[in-house]
Amino acid sequence: MADKNWLNENEKWLKTIVSLVDTELGQSAKTELYDAITKMSGEKPTTVDSTSTHQIVLATTENQNLISHQLFDRLNDEGYIIRTITEHEKPTILLSAKTDKGLLYASFHFLRLIQTKQHLGSLNIVENPKNQLRMINHWDNMDGSIERGYAGKSIFFENNAFTTNLERIKDYARILSSVGINAISINNVNVHTVETKLITDEFLPDVATVANIFRSYGIQTFLSINYASPIQLGQLTTADPLDPTVRNWWKEKAKDVYRFIPDFGGFVVKADSEHRPGPFTYERNHADGSNMLAEALEPFGGIVIWRCFVYNCMQDWRDRKTDRARAAYDHFKPLDGQFYDNVVLQIKNGPMDFQVREANSPLFGAMTKTNQILEFQVTQEYTGQQIDLCYLISQWKEILEFDTFAAGAGTPIKRIVDGSTFENKISGIAAVSNIGNDDNWTGHQLAQANLYGYGRLIWNPDLSTEVITDEWVRATFGHDPEVVEHVTAMLFDSWPIYENYTSPLGVGWMVNPNHHYGPNVDGYEYSVWGTYHFADNEGIGVDRTVSSGTGYTAQYFKENKEIYESLEICPDDLLLFFHHVPYTHKLQSGVTVIQHIYNTHFEGVEQAIGLMERWSLLKDKVDEERYQNVMNRLNQQIENAKQWRDMINTYFFRKSGIKDEKNRTIY
Amino acid sequence: MADKNWLNENEKWLKTIVSLVDTELGQSAKTELYDAITKMSGEKPTTVDSTSTHQIVLATTENQNLISHQLFDRLNDEGYIIRTITEHEKPTILLSAKTDKGLLYASFHFLRLIQTKQHLGSLNIVENPKNQLRMINHWDNMDGSIERGYAGKSIFFENNAFTTNLERIKDYARILSSVGINAISINNVNVHTVETKLITDEFLPDVATVANIFRSYGIQTFLSINYASPIQLGQLTTADPLDPTVRNWWKEKAKDVYRFIPDFGGFVVKADSEHRPGPFTYERNHADGSNMLAEALEPFGGIVIWRCFVYNCMQDWRDRKTDRARAAYDHFKPLDGQFYDNVVLQIKNGPMDFQVREANSPLFGAMTKTNQILEFQVTQEYTGQQIDLCYLISQWKEILEFDTFAAGAGTPIKRIVDGSTFENKISGIAAVSNIGNDDNWTGHQLAQANLYGYGRLIWNPDLSTEVITDEWVRATFGHDPEVVEHVTAMLFDSWPIYENYTSPLGVGWMVNPNHHYGPNVDGYEYSVWGTYHFADNEGIGVDRTVSSGTGYTAQYFKENKEIYESLEICPDDLLLFFHHVPYTHKLQSGVTVIQHIYNTHFEGVEQAIGLMERWSLLKDKVDEERYQNVMNRLNQQIENAKQWRDMINTYFFRKSGIKDEKNRTIY
């Protein structure tokens, strides 16, 4: 229910909804408006031109004559206009777009205006999404498990088949569409035996059913495929991308898929990565591999999303010269210009793997002739697994604003991946979903903010974190100033808090192997994964400089290279990502590395307790179920934070022999 | 085939086998003799009194009159006599015993004499097993997996049912019987849902089938039971051992079991250990729990084998006062005298868990009024997992000879567990099996020696390791002096080699969690399992002294307590088990702790390579299949040893900052 004062003033606008667009998406737009307004105003609007004095009109460019068609020149195919027209005989709020998809987004935008108590009497909004591809990746397996899922089982699959709960999928489509997501891949990038068959007649009818649901909300469906499919499905003896029988197999396969799903998006591919098959087996490169698939998809308008998460996952820890951080750049940069124009490379935000803090990938902007999209991780694999609170919008905003200098100063990552800098044909952002079949979708109630914020931020990376956060908090918990204040503060504080009590100064990876929850300082130190901190009794950190280390810093454009290369001006929070320093090294903040470790870990626990205390102030202001959900997890977070604090501090105290200046308890 | 020279001289003895004992075991004895002699001599003996000039006679005391019945007074029910009687009209080798079971053991002994080329013309052997219960425990699950199994799947179970391959089980019974094993438990001590039902009508017919096979080789069958069975199977609301309905439930259950298996051995119980249910739930103790089961089994002659592997497996690593090593003694010692006389406590050799080196359990000899048996682990969980060669007879021999001083000087563990010191009603030794359905039974060909040696050693702990080893090598590989020399040396060297390149100086536990293969110095350091080494930049080790540590040393009798308590005289190889010392501490060997770590780890790898080189000398002397099996594993062992060397050395170099005196490569 919307706010009463607001309603008194604005409800006249909500009495009539006139839709002039009868397509599937047009109907979705109208239904969403109708249902939400009914709930928020407590009254069902009429949907025919009525005697009401005011009206909402949904219309595409052509079937409206309320405003000039020229105004639509500013819109792209997904953009829209929302305008209050009072000079009309019947005061009208016009929701209009070039396409019915734009209309759907306009409807959701309009509902957000209501939820955030905007005055409806003088709207004048023109919106275009800044990114073209706005995607969610699922790492769902057909046995119902989700790789890196922390909110229950898959909503798509169970028992190696598709679920029959299509309502849940429809609700998910509505959620995604409401924040502007327009593409989804529904299965894990690690494509196992059963999932390999998703592109066969056995499962394509089911995929089509799901695609139909998503289509009605403007979302295009993609599948992750197994690069070795020609062998596993087609009985071929090879998957060599230059082999004509293989190329032909994929062409026929593409025809099959498009027979079932005419607007199928394309393939997401993890190849030659972490033991997945790929073109390397045949001494071909990533361009060969992806172009073959692109060729097959091209006649149907499909694209290949080829992941750049490629590195040596069988590294010998004794080999200090090989640097996993270099891998994506070293693999892909030399291929710039060789990819077909319906291939797009998907690049993780950092060169390692979604750590709480790592450098930004130097690949952004490095390939001027290649389509590229950015990959974020909404599911909190390394950031608390939806037990610990970690609001990632702040992190992503920071990443998107990072100036690559790719086309001179003022080339932030957001301007690379939106395609504007190098005029890419395909561009955008993808992220791994954080939802599952838990009642509240995300396990932790407040983790919903990450999915919401992800959608909003990639629609428009220029939005401030403050605006996005305020929208979510008010839409979720209402407008009580105390609630808004505390929930907002909790979200804003949470990422720095999580960073405080976990791996220090950008070094990463001090987690338990495999499941990645909880501290284990040497958990990845003597492993094959290329993930080391090199702590000894004197110091810690990975020397990635050109002058004495792995030379990784040279992958950045000059301006950034000089910053990272320099021990003096390298930002504190990435110091150990770029340099190996003594524990006694003084940070720019003025404290030594070891004292920083101690301080932040003691503080982190206190801050985690602070989150819990803040939340407890809202006991009577938030419904019991959500209150308890969050409170239970905050209490788990405190225990986790204490484990981190004590393990990290003990590890470094035992290793360095240097005492905490403040004599706090270290074991 | 037996040695030709030996055969020329002795084959006259092998022409005729006359058995005067027609029982099931008597038949087993005769068949084993007959089949083996056929294979070894190349000719089938006759089995009736024949015209042959010589004969072998199998007879129990009563049905023979070749030697005085008084001679049998020296035998117990499992003992036997083997005697060559030349003064008889027909020269005879008499295999005789009070029971048909003794006869079976006599037959196997006789075959061993042939295999080891003993002269048969003047045998005069009187043998009794020194231990009463000589047991093998299986940790097999009904899904076919084996907890800590390294030689394939279970030979008993698959797909949550019993296997139909009874021949394999019979072969196993023959193997065990040939080395004198007389008891077996066939399912894992961690009794999961399906296995809980082994004591129900659903599975008891199958258990009976297996028990029938083992019975025909003198082996009694036991089952591991779930302490919560009355709840899970009986729909009771409690498993309280003092509750009359619970006691009654078990009594009825015992009746069921014995209806199917009249000579059923009894129950093996892991209770209140590592999350298994037990009497603690009801605020009862281990005596209450085991006595209840003993009461139910007593009418049928069954026994309860109650494991003492009880400790806090949810320890906070920050708590340095709690000491897992103390746990078994602290739990059980106060209960001495409270157990029924058909209860026997099963005590692991060490207070931790089958490490390559740890102290001996102080419980041995500490409970003068309680039946106790020793538990070894043949399966190489922490000792190379049948990839790395580790001959455990040397370890076990050392343990059995350890003087507890329980009844003054000269009370070795072997005299405690054989029941002689405190005249226990039940006594003996059990061990976890190392076999599976691999063709060669044990994965590593040479790991067979551990099973063989285990049987021989517990039959007679006074046997030297040299004798046991020589028997096995000759029986397995024949008598080529070079083969005997090298295989024997490999076995003897293997335990010290494995110790060299793994955890140093008795501290243990530097393994990967869960699967326990390969190095991970901090793998158990910040865990809940009570398994710590406390290494810091200055030193390492667990202070278990009374004067400054956990007080564990006080659990030993005075003479041992004084040795372990003293930093000066504590044996080097247990130093870090009992003391926390600086890396610069000088061992009795003259080198410092840190230099010892470096030296042994560099040496260990060289020695592992030496094992491989030694084996390679036998390329033309051992059949290809066995040669390759061992060679492949030795090569894997070398890689493993290098990982250990480099990880351990790097860890301690990074932690201590102390360089290797010899400047060898540390990473």
Side-chain angles (χ1 to χ4, degrees):
Chain A
M1 195 71 133
D3 182 80
K4 269 192 192 153
N5 290 336
W6 180 88
L7 211 51
N8 286 339
E9 197 181 325
N10 292 281
E11 64 186 340
K12 59 180 179 283
W13 291 104
L14 307 178
K15 303 288 188 192
T16 301
I17 303 170
V18 179
S19 173
L20 307 177
V21 184
D22 200 32
T23 62
E24 187 173 31
L25 287 170
Q27 280 177 358
S28 292
K30 189 176 94 179
T31 306
E32 290 298 322
L33 266 190
Y34 180 88
D35 289 349
I37 287 175
T38 304
K39 276 194 192 141
M40 295 193 285
S41 71
E43 273 181 55
K44 295 185 179 181
T46 69
T47 56
V48 287
D49 196 354
S50 70
T51 53
S52 157
T53 57
H54 293 64
Q55 63 178 358
I56 299 165
V57 172
L58 282 160
T60 52
T61 317
E62 288 71 27
N63 55 23
Q64 67 79 32
N65 51 18
L66 293 163
I67 58 175
S68 157
H69 284 206
Q70 277 185 321
L71 288 172
F72 291 83
D73 292 348
R74 294 163 59 195
L75 296 188
N76 64 27
D77 282 352
E78 294 180 304
Y80 52 84
I81 290 171
I82 300 176
R83 183 179 287 197
T84 309
I85 304 165
T86 45
E87 56 273 33
H88 192 259
E89 58 188 41
K90 188 181 278 190
T92 297
I93 296 177
L94 175 67
L95 278 55
S96 193
K98 284 180 174 172
T99 65
D100 49 3
K101 196 172 171 192
L103 272 190
L104 181 60
Y105 294 138
S107 295
F108 283 121
H109 190 136
F110 183 71
L111 293 175
R112 197 156 54 233
L113 297 176
I114 300 177
Q115 284 181 304
T116 51
K117 301 202 292 181
Q118 308 295 310
H119 180 66
L120 302 183
S122 55
L123 299 172
N124 188 5
I125 293 165
V126 178
E127 269 280 332
N128 285 304
K130 290 275 199 306
N131 284 295
Q132 176 191 354
L133 199 63
R134 302 179 302 281
M135 189 166 195
I136 277 288
N137 295 158
H138 276 261
W139 288 355
D140 293 23
N141 301 312
M142 290 192 69
D143 64 3
S145 65
I146 302 175
E147 187 163 325
R148 314 307 174 190
Y150 312 106
K153 296 280 189 178
S154 173
I155 66 164
F156 296 113
F157 309 114
E158 56 190 347
N159 300 322
N160 291 319
F162 275 75
T163 171
T164 53
N165 187 354
L166 301 180
E167 274 307 305
R168 180 83 174 178
I169 296 175
K170 186 181 171 191
D171 283 343
Y172 187 47
R174 297 171 59 220
I175 288 173
L176 295 181
S177 185
S178 76
V179 289
I181 302 294
N182 65 1
I184 188 167
S185 59
I186 62 173
N187 66 303
N188 191 355
V189 289
N190 292 315
V191 183
H192 309 297
T193 309
V194 183
E195 294 80 359
T196 299
K197 295 190 282 186
L198 279 169
I199 53 171
T200 68
D201 288 3
E202 183 178 348
F203 288 121
L204 279 170
D206 295 319
V207 179
T209 302
V210 169
N212 291 345
I213 295 170
F214 282 114
R215 182 185 305 109
S216 69
Y217 280 88
I219 299 166
Q220 215 176 4
T221 298
F222 290 68
L223 289 174
S224 299
I225 56 102
N226 179 344
Y227 194 81
S229 293
I231 298 169
Q232 285 182 241
L233 299 176
Q235 324 301 332
L236 302 191
T237 54
T238 176
D240 180 353
L242 300 193
D243 184 298
T245 58
V246 174
R247 298 179 84 90
N248 199 55
W249 188 89
W250 279 111
K251 284 178 188 163
E252 292 303 315
K253 184 46 67 187
K255 280 186 204 162
D256 288 351
V257 175
Y258 279 90
R259 214 174 36 198
F260 285 93
I261 308 148
D263 64 339
F264 180 70
F267 296 144
V268 176
V269 193
K270 175 175 182 176
D272 288 318
S273 165
E274 296 180 337
H275 310 293
R276 302 309 305 157
F280 287 0
T281 309
Y282 312 100
E283 296 178 4
R284 313 301 183 191
N285 64 30
H286 291 284
D288 299 327
S290 56
N291 288 343
M292 169 193 64
L293 296 171
E295 180 186 69
L297 294 168
E298 192 276 336
F300 310 97
I303 66 171
V304 177
I305 300 178
W306 192 269
R307 293 172 88 242
C308 295
F309 186 57
V310 176
Y311 66 98
N312 176 6
C313 67
M314 292 295 284
Q315 187 175 333
D316 190 327
W317 61 268
R318 289 166 284 213
D319 163 21
R320 284 179 82 148
K321 285 181 194 140
T322 301
D323 181 2
R324 169 168 165 179
R326 293 184 58 113
Y329 187 101
D330 285 345
H331 277 292
F332 286 92
K333 163 79 176 162
L335 302 175
D336 192 22
Q338 297 180 34
F339 294 93
Y340 288 2
D341 70 356
N342 61 331
V343 172
V344 55
L345 300 185
Q346 180 164 313
I347 305 167
K348 288 191 181 187
N349 60 272
M352 297 301 281
D353 191 17
F354 301 133
Q355 301 300 292
V356 67
R357 172 80 63 180
E358 60 178 292
N360 298 313
S361 174
L363 255 188
F364 295 117
M367 303 178 74
T368 59
K369 291 167 274 181
T370 304
N371 296 317
Q372 54 193 269
I373 61 174
L374 166 65
E375 178 177 337
F376 285 134
Q377 192 184 43
V378 190
T379 192
Q380 293 170 240
E381 177 178 358
Y382 295 97
T383 50
Q385 303 200 354
Q386 283 137 258
I387 295 168
D388 301 36
L389 184 63
C390 190
Y391 186 53
L392 293 166
I393 311 307
S394 326
Q395 187 196 53
W396 300 332
K397 180 72 178 168
E398 212 173 282
I399 292 162
L400 291 168
E401 298 294 345
F402 175 77
D403 196 346
T404 65
F405 293 90
T411 321
I413 287 177
K414 67 181 179 185
R415 294 288 168 257
I416 304 289
V417 299
D418 71 5
S420 61
T421 303
F422 299 114
E423 297 184 345
N424 302 107
K425 187 182 160 204
I426 311 171
S427 58
I429 300 181
V432 187
S433 177
N434 67 344
I435 70 103
N437 67 1
D438 275 4
D439 278 351
N440 69 3
W441 294 93
T442 52
H444 196 309
Q445 191 70 37
L446 301 183
Q448 292 177 358
N450 285 325
L451 183 59
Y452 178 89
Y454 167 69
R456 296 289 293 133
L457 183 63
I458 69 170
W459 176 277
N460 181 6
D462 299 334
L463 283 176
S464 73
T465 311
E466 286 74 10
V467 165
I468 294 171
T469 311
D470 194 65
E471 281 177 13
W472 183 80
V473 173
R474 290 175 187 276
T476 307
F477 291 106
H479 301 270
D480 180 315
E482 220 181 319
V483 175
V484 172
E485 178 199 333
H486 291 309
V487 176
T488 302
M490 287 173 68
L491 292 175
F492 269 85
D493 294 346
S494 60
W495 176 43
I497 291 174
Y498 194 80
E499 184 176 13
N500 271 350
Y501 63 75
T502 56
S503 306
L505 299 164
V507 75
W509 293 109
M510 295 176 174
V511 292
N512 283 306
N514 307 321
H515 63 73
H516 299 161
Y517 189 74
N520 188 337
V521 182
D522 278 357
Y524 277 96
E525 187 61 12
Y526 300 92
S527 76
V528 295
W529 300 97
T531 45
Y532 316 113
H533 54 64
F534 301 120
D536 60 21
N537 65 319
E538 291 175 348
I540 179 174
V542 188
D543 185 349
R544 293 193 161 106
T545 63
V546 170
S547 63
S548 55
T550 68
Y552 165 78
T553 55
Q555 295 185 344
Y556 291 93
F557 289 92
K558 182 167 163 292
E559 293 81 351
N560 287 321
K561 187 253 176 187
E562 284 173 2
I563 292 171
Y564 294 141
E565 182 78 10
S566 158
L567 187 56
E568 287 68 41
I569 59 172
C570 178
D572 281 353
D573 57 16
L574 288 173
L575 184 70
L576 302 183
F577 190 91
F578 286 105
H579 297 273
H580 186 93
V581 299
Y583 295 116
T584 52
H585 174 85
K586 209 160 242 183
L587 295 170
Q588 295 174 48
S589 69
V591 299
T592 61
V593 167
I594 188 76
Q595 195 56 42
H596 173 91
I597 292 174
Y598 296 151
N599 289 349
T600 51
H601 285 77
F602 284 112
E603 278 163 29
V605 170
E606 296 310 311
Q607 291 170 315
I609 294 168
L611 287 175
M612 183 273 291
E613 288 169 349
R614 222 186 234 283
W615 184 252
S616 71
L617 299 174
L618 305 182
K619 183 155 178 42
D620 301 323
K621 300 192 169 238
V622 172
D623 57 282
E624 181 67 11
E625 189 180 339
R626 292 196 290 185
Y627 179 80
Q628 277 306 335
N629 168 274
V630 174
M631 185 52 89
N632 290 342
R633 289 179 190 239
L634 288 170
N635 282 319
Q636 286 180 68
Q637 176 172 3
I638 291 169
E639 286 313 301
N640 189 38
K642 286 179 179 170
Q643 281 286 348
W644 273 99
R645 174 194 66 193
D646 294 335
M647 244 181 248
I648 295 278
N649 285 344
T650 299
Y651 180 96
F652 286 104
F653 173 58
R654 287 190 187 172
K655 204 147 203 167
S656 70
I658 300 171
K659 288 194 178 141
D660 172 37
E661 287 171 0
K662 301 187 188 170
N663 272 316
R664 291 163 289 196
T665 304
I666 297 178
Y667 296 89
Chain B
M1 195 72 133
D3 180 80
K4 267 192 192 151
N5 290 335
W6 180 89
L7 209 51
N8 286 338
E9 197 183 323
N10 292 279
E11 66 184 338
K12 60 178 178 284
W13 291 104
L14 307 178
K15 303 290 188 191
T16 303
I17 303 169
V18 179
S19 173
L20 306 177
V21 184
D22 201 33
T23 62
E24 187 174 32
L25 287 171
Q27 281 177 357
S28 293
K30 190 176 93 179
T31 306
E32 291 297 323
L33 266 190
Y34 180 89
D35 290 349
I37 286 174
T38 303
K39 275 193 192 145
M40 294 193 285
S41 71
E43 274 181 53
K44 293 185 178 179
T46 69
T47 56
V48 288
D49 197 354
S50 71
T51 54
S52 157
T53 56
H54 292 64
Q55 64 178 357
I56 300 165
V57 171
L58 283 160
T60 52
T61 317
E62 286 73 26
N63 54 23
Q64 66 80 33
N65 51 16
L66 292 163
I67 57 173
S68 157
H69 285 204
Q70 277 185 321
L71 288 170
F72 290 83
D73 292 349
R74 294 163 60 193
L75 296 187
N76 65 27
D77 282 352
E78 294 181 305
Y80 53 84
I81 290 171
I82 300 176
R83 182 180 288 197
T84 309
I85 304 166
T86 47
E87 59 270 32
H88 192 258
E89 57 188 40
K90 186 179 279 189
T92 297
I93 296 176
L94 175 69
L95 277 56
S96 192
K98 282 181 175 170
T99 65
D100 50 1
K101 196 172 171 191
L103 271 190
L104 181 62
Y105 294 139
S107 296
F108 283 120
H109 190 137
F110 183 70
L111 294 174
R112 196 155 55 232
L113 297 176
I114 301 177
Q115 285 181 303
T116 52
K117 300 204 292 181
Q118 306 296 307
H119 179 65
L120 303 182
S122 55
L123 301 172
N124 187 5
I125 293 165
V126 178
E127 269 279 334
N128 285 305
K130 290 276 200 305
N131 284 294
Q132 175 192 353
L133 200 62
R134 302 179 302 281
M135 190 165 192
I136 277 288
N137 296 158
H138 275 261
W139 288 356
D140 293 25
N141 301 313
M142 289 193 70
D143 64 4
S145 66
I146 302 176
E147 187 164 326
R148 312 309 175 189
Y150 312 106
K153 296 280 189 177
S154 173
I155 65 163
F156 297 112
F157 309 114
E158 56 189 349
N159 299 322
N160 290 320
F162 275 76
T163 171
T164 53
N165 186 354
L166 301 180
E167 274 308 304
R168 180 83 176 180
I169 296 175
K170 186 181 170 192
D171 284 343
Y172 188 46
R174 296 172 58 220
I175 288 172
L176 295 181
S177 185
S178 76
V179 289
I181 302 294
N182 65 2
I184 188 167
S185 60
I186 62 173
N187 66 305
N188 190 357
V189 289
N190 293 315
V191 183
H192 309 296
T193 310
V194 184
E195 294 81 358
T196 298
K197 293 190 281 184
L198 280 170
I199 52 170
T200 68
D201 288 4
E202 183 177 347
F203 288 122
L204 278 170
D206 295 320
V207 179
T209 302
V210 169
N212 291 345
I213 296 170
F214 282 115
R215 183 186 304 108
S216 69
Y217 281 87
I219 299 165
Q220 215 176 4
T221 299
F222 289 69
L223 289 174
S224 298
I225 57 102
N226 179 344
Y227 194 82
S229 293
I231 298 168
Q232 285 183 241
L233 299 176
Q235 323 301 332
L236 302 192
T237 54
T238 176
D240 181 352
L242 301 193
D243 184 299
T245 59
V246 174
R247 298 180 85 90
N248 199 55
W249 188 88
W250 279 110
K251 284 178 189 165
E252 292 302 316
K253 184 46 68 187
K255 279 185 205 164
D256 288 350
V257 175
Y258 280 89
R259 208 157 29 124
F260 285 93
I261 308 149
D263 64 339
F264 181 70
F267 296 144
V268 176
V269 193
K270 176 175 181 176
D272 288 318
S273 165
E274 296 179 338
H275 310 293
R276 304 307 306 156
F280 287 0
T281 309
Y282 311 100
E283 296 179 2
R284 313 300 183 190
N285 65 30
H286 291 284
D288 299 327
S290 55
N291 289 343
M292 169 192 64
L293 296 171
E295 179 186 69
L297 294 169
E298 191 275 335
F300 310 97
I303 66 172
V304 176
I305 299 178
W306 192 270
R307 294 174 85 242
C308 294
F309 187 57
V310 176
Y311 65 98
N312 176 6
C313 67
M314 292 296 284
Q315 188 175 332
D316 190 328
W317 62 271
R318 290 165 283 214
D319 163 20
R320 284 179 82 147
K321 285 181 195 140
T322 301
D323 181 1
R324 169 168 164 178
R326 295 184 56 114
Y329 187 101
D330 285 345
H331 276 292
F332 286 92
K333 164 77 175 162
L335 301 175
D336 191 23
Q338 296 181 34
F339 294 94
Y340 288 1
D341 70 356
N342 62 331
V343 172
V344 54
L345 300 185
Q346 180 164 315
I347 306 166
K348 288 192 181 187
N349 61 270
M352 298 301 281
D353 191 17
F354 301 134
Q355 301 300 291
V356 66
R357 174 78 65 180
E358 60 178 292
N360 298 312
S361 173
L363 255 188
F364 294 117
M367 303 179 75
T368 59
K369 288 167 277 183
T370 304
N371 296 316
Q372 53 193 269
I373 62 175
L374 167 64
E375 179 176 336
F376 285 134
Q377 193 184 43
V378 191
T379 193
Q380 293 171 237
E381 178 177 359
Y382 294 98
T383 51
Q385 303 198 354
Q386 284 136 259
I387 295 168
D388 300 36
L389 184 63
C390 192
Y391 186 52
L392 294 166
I393 311 306
S394 326
Q395 187 197 55
W396 299 334
K397 180 73 179 167
E398 214 174 280
I399 292 163
L400 290 168
E401 298 295 344
F402 176 77
D403 196 345
T404 65
F405 294 88
T411 320
I413 287 177
K414 68 182 178 183
R415 295 287 168 257
I416 304 288
V417 299
D418 69 6
S420 62
T421 302
F422 299 115
E423 298 185 343
N424 302 106
K425 188 182 159 206
I426 311 172
S427 59
I429 300 180
V432 188
S433 177
N434 67 343
I435 70 106
N437 68 0
D438 275 5
D439 278 349
N440 68 5
W441 294 93
T442 52
H444 197 310
Q445 191 70 36
L446 301 183
Q448 292 177 358
N450 284 326
L451 184 58
Y452 178 89
Y454 167 69
R456 297 289 292 134
L457 183 64
I458 68 169
W459 175 277
N460 181 7
D462 298 334
L463 283 177
S464 73
T465 310
E466 287 74 10
V467 165
I468 293 172
T469 310
D470 194 65
E471 282 177 12
W472 182 80
V473 173
R474 288 174 188 275
T476 305
F477 291 104
H479 302 272
D480 182 314
E482 222 181 318
V483 175
V484 172
E485 179 200 330
H486 290 310
V487 176
T488 303
M490 287 172 69
L491 293 174
F492 269 85
D493 294 347
S494 62
W495 177 43
I497 292 174
Y498 193 81
E499 184 175 12
N500 270 349
Y501 63 73
T502 57
S503 307
L505 300 164
V507 75
W509 293 111
M510 293 175 175
V511 292
N512 283 306
N514 307 322
H515 64 73
H516 297 162
Y517 189 75
N520 189 336
V521 181
D522 277 357
Y524 277 97
E525 188 60 14
Y526 300 92
S527 75
V528 295
W529 299 97
T531 47
Y532 316 113
H533 54 65
F534 301 121
D536 60 22
N537 64 319
E538 292 176 345
I540 180 175
V542 188
D543 185 349
R544 293 193 161 106
T545 64
V546 170
S547 65
S548 56
T550 68
Y552 165 78
T553 56
Q555 295 185 344
Y556 290 93
F557 289 92
K558 183 167 163 290
E559 292 82 351
N560 287 321
K561 187 253 175 185
E562 283 174 1
I563 291 170
Y564 294 141
E565 182 78 11
S566 158
L567 188 55
E568 287 68 40
I569 58 173
C570 178
D572 280 353
D573 57 16
L574 288 172
L575 184 72
L576 303 183
F577 190 91
F578 286 105
H579 297 274
H580 187 93
V581 299
Y583 295 116
T584 53
H585 174 84
K586 209 159 241 183
L587 296 170
Q588 295 173 47
S589 70
V591 299
T592 61
V593 166
I594 189 76
Q595 195 55 42
H596 172 92
I597 292 174
Y598 296 151
N599 290 348
T600 51
H601 284 78
F602 284 112
E603 278 162 28
V605 170
E606 296 310 311
Q607 291 170 315
I609 293 169
L611 287 175
M612 184 272 290
E613 288 170 347
R614 222 185 233 283
W615 183 251
S616 72
L617 300 175
L618 305 183
K619 182 152 178 45
D620 300 323
K621 299 187 169 244
V622 172
D623 58 281
E624 181 66 13
E625 188 180 340
R626 291 195 291 185
Y627 179 80
Q628 278 306 338
N629 168 275
V630 174
M631 185 52 88
N632 291 342
R633 289 180 190 238
L634 288 170
N635 282 320
Q636 287 181 66
Q637 175 172 3
I638 291 169
E639 286 314 300
N640 189 38
K642 286 178 181 170
Q643 281 285 349
W644 272 100
R645 174 195 65 194
D646 293 336
M647 243 182 248
I648 295 278
N649 285 344
T650 299
Y651 180 97
F652 286 104
F653 172 59
R654 287 191 187 171
K655 203 145 204 169
S656 69
I658 300 172
K659 287 194 178 142
D660 172 35
E661 286 171 0
K662 302 186 187 171
N663 272 316
R664 290 163 290 194
T665 305
I666 297 177
Y667 296 88

